[in-house]
Amino acid sequence: MLLSRFRGALLGALVGDCIGAVFETRMTITVGSVLSFLRGLENNWKKQGRPGRTVLMYTDDTAMARSVVQSLLTKPPLDEKDLAERFTAEYFSDPDRGYGMGVVHVFEKLQSGKYQSVFTPAKEQFNGKGSYGNGAAMRVVGIPLAFPNVPDIIKYAKISGELTHASSLGYNGAILLALAVHYALQGVNLSRESFLEHLLSNMQEIEGDEKSRSDAVELELGEFPYCNRLKKIKEFLDKGNVPRCEVVEELGHGVAAFESVPTAIYSFLRCMDPVDDLPKEMNSLQRTVIFCILLGGDTDTIATMAGAIAGAYHGEDQVPELWRKSSEGYKDAEDWGKQLWELYSSRLPS
Ligand code: F2R
Ligand code: MG
Ligand code: MG
Ligand code: MG
């Protein structure tokens, strides 16, 4: 397995968050406005002979992904108490990173020391239904970079998700994203069709359990919501040039995991090919991040998730130096990519 894919996944996630955050919550975003923003970054760099002083700050997506990676590297295989402590300490040391409205109550409860189990606060969210936000998925990239096999990825993506997202819609979104990064690490050895088939087959089993069925029905999403969206992705790819408004209408661009994780996966697959209104010289990873931003809505989170998959697939060479070096904490992503690659390699069957 190539080191470049591990660093690519972390760097792709980082630049997706940092650039996407500039546009988060805007509903209409033009190609011109994104390209003009990127030109501004470049001009700044040229003037100073290095990336501009205005570093693009990462948001809660990366803050939490960093905690997951640090925990995986220091407390293997995964220590839920350590991870809960890291999330909480990170939030209280730097609360203005744009966290979800609900998840901060989990950190407050964890901080209070009144709970015996670190999973209880998440179970109390939203009147006991648990969160279905995309916060478990947006931070999960470290898990598929630490574990080479599917059962471990499913197990640990679920545990890490359940610390804040007790709804199966929330943690299943994290599992799906983690599996997408896992299959993307295989690179061109896996066709677009097989990539989707693997995800569908894994999710059929995961969404078949009783809690997944009842949570989905209760939200009136129908059973197997992630599987149904994976089928929609296949339909869109077969069709070719689906307008972005249709992507938003069918797959979503919202803060719910089921309205954003499939969108990120589609964006990655769609942007393997050129996109009509994006500059021809852009590579697939650049197209992926910009395509996600152009969908509007939860741009930082959709771009970070798609950036993680694209980086795992295409490798770090597709992350432009300007984007990388303008993003806060890029050196950590490079270093931790290498450490995760070593950990993953040590866990491969000999
Ligand atoms: N919070 C944001 N963006 C808002 C604007 C930020 C702006 N830049 C600023 O700084 O002001 N972004 C971040 O939040 C998302 C991840 O959220 P997470 O971690 O899943 O949090 P939470 O609170 O658990 O869920 C998010 C919202 O989803 C709705 N929701 C979830 N479960 C629900 C349920 N069972 N019933 C009803 N609603 C539910 C709620 O509206 C939650 O607040 C990422 O976009 C990240 O970037
Ligand atoms: Mg964010
Ligand atoms: Mg500890
Ligand atoms: Mg977001």
Side-chain angles (χ1 to χ4, degrees), residues 17 24 59-61 98 300-301:
D17 180 25
E24 193 184 13
T59 77
D60 58 327
D61 304 51
D300 64 331
T301 302

Side-chain angles (χ1 to χ4, degrees), residues 4 6 29 79 110 121 141 154 158 215 281 288 308 316 321:
S4 164
F6 288 72
I29 299 158
D79 179 331
L110 287 169
V141 58
I154 294 173
K158 182 168 186 234
D215 285 353
E281 63 275 14
T288 302
E316 67 171 323
E321 194 185 5

Side-chain angles (χ1 to χ4, degrees), residues 149-258:
N149 71 67
V150 167
D152 281 344
I153 293 167
I154 294 173
K155 175 178 166 191
Y156 295 121
K158 182 168 186 234
I159 295 173
S160 68
E162 282 174 324
L163 288 171
T164 47
H165 292 69
S167 164
S168 60
L169 275 317
Y171 62 72
N172 282 348
I175 294 173
L176 174 56
L177 205 269
L179 290 171
V181 172
H182 167 74
Y183 292 119
L185 285 174
Q186 317 303 314
V188 289
N189 297 325
L190 204 64
S191 70
R192 212 148 64 167
E193 292 70 28
S194 321
F195 176 88
L196 272 176
E197 276 162 22
H198 281 297
L199 289 180
L200 191 54
S201 149
N202 293 142
M203 291 311 290
Q204 256 152 2
E205 202 176 322
I206 288 158
E207 291 197 285
D209 83 345
E210 210 180 301
K211 178 165 165 58
S212 297
R213 283 168 182 259
S214 61
D215 285 353
V217 169
E218 203 180 319
L219 273 176
E220 297 181 8
L221 292 171
E223 288 184 350
F224 296 91
Y226 286 106
C227 290
N228 291 334
R229 283 158 181 74
L230 288 168
K231 288 176 190 160
K232 180 57 79 179
I233 291 173
K234 184 172 178 346
E235 195 185 305
F236 276 180
L237 292 171
D238 289 344
K239 246 190 188 175
N241 237 342
V242 176
R244 281 193 277 271
C245 57
E246 203 178 326
V247 177
V248 172
E249 204 175 297
E250 297 284 340
L251 296 176
H253 64 174
V255 82
F258 48 87

Side-chain angles (χ1 to χ4, degrees), residues 22-41:
V22 176
F23 302 89
E24 193 184 13
T25 69
R26 284 201 221 163
M27 286 302 146
T28 314
I29 299 158
T30 61
V31 175
S33 65
V34 180
L35 295 183
S36 146
F37 170 76
L38 292 171
R39 265 197 306 276
L41 266 189

Side-chain angles (χ1 to χ4, degrees), residues 86-114:
R86 284 177 195 273
F87 285 157
T88 308
E90 170 60 38
Y91 170 71
F92 281 102
S93 72
D94 198 358
D96 297 326
R97 294 269 184 189
Y99 284 85
M101 302 280 274
V103 74
V104 301
H105 301 302
V106 175
F107 304 136
E108 283 160 1
K109 288 179 182 177
L110 287 169
Q111 174 86 334
S112 75
K114 288 184 191 151

